Amino acid sequence: MTDLRIRPATADDLDSVLAFWKTAAEGTSISDDRDGVERLVGRDPAALILAELDGELVGTVIAGFDGWRCHLYRLAVHPQRRRRGVGSALLAAAEERFVRLGGRRGDAMVLQRNESAHHAWRAAGYSPEDQWRRWVKPLND
């Protein structure tokens, strides 16, 4: 996949990214709207990483670093482009970003029901930590 281009998203990409996630991402998030993604890119312009092939968006990952922990979200590859190295290239870019920022360990949000994602994350060297459970509280009604 030598023509694969990995780059940070810009404000001009956000509508395309949101549309892409409807096709390629598993599940939805409360932040999957223009305002949410705009805030992300405004706060940390390098956090949303895109993969393009011949000008077409084929993958995304959010590589968020809060100064202490490295968090991965929204690793998504177009269904027709999976198993061709796109996800690996995105994760490599995210991990390189984390190392440059001083990060020590990456963690990923992965739906329990998404078995195919479990295989991909394990292949990339990640493993679940069964002693942890995600706790959430919506801040808006």
Side-chain angles (χ1 to χ4, degrees):
M1 230 189 247
T2 57
D3 296 334
L4 189 67
R5 180 178 177 219
I6 304 292
R7 66 172 180 86
T10 67
D12 292 339
D13 296 311
L14 303 187
D15 291 329
S16 297
V17 168
L18 288 165
F20 176 79
W21 286 342
K22 289 179 181 176
T23 300
E26 179 72 22
T28 58
S29 166
I30 194 170
S31 301
D32 284 359
D33 58 26
R34 175 81 188 196
D35 288 341
V37 181
E38 213 165 54
R39 271 190 304 279
L40 168 70
V41 172
R43 182 181 177 282
D44 186 353
L48 177 52
I49 303 169
L50 307 182
E52 296 175 326
L53 189 58
D54 299 322
E56 174 192 353
L57 179 59
V58 296
T60 67
V61 68
I62 296 173
F65 182 63
D66 61 14
W68 186 43
R69 298 221 176 150
C70 307
H71 304 286
L72 295 159
Y73 309 93
R74 279 294 182 235
L75 177 62
V77 176
H78 191 282
Q80 295 176 344
R81 303 290 187 168
R82 292 181 182 156
R83 304 199 52 81
R84 298 182 189 175
V86 174
S88 295
L90 285 164
L91 282 178
E95 291 166 359
E96 288 168 14
R97 168 179 155 73
F98 291 152
V99 169
R100 279 193 314 273
L101 294 171
R104 298 180 186 171
R105 176 184 67 186
D107 65 56
M109 296 293 297
V110 184
L111 289 171
Q112 284 188 314
R113 71 174 185 261
N114 191 348
E115 289 293 327
S116 61
H118 298 183
H119 296 292
W121 284 103
R122 277 192 180 90
Y126 291 78
S127 58
E129 289 187 324
D130 293 330
Q131 71 271 24
W132 297 101
R133 178 72 66 196
R134 182 176 181 212
W135 292 44
V136 298
K137 175 185 175 183
L139 300 177
N140 299 339
D141 289 339

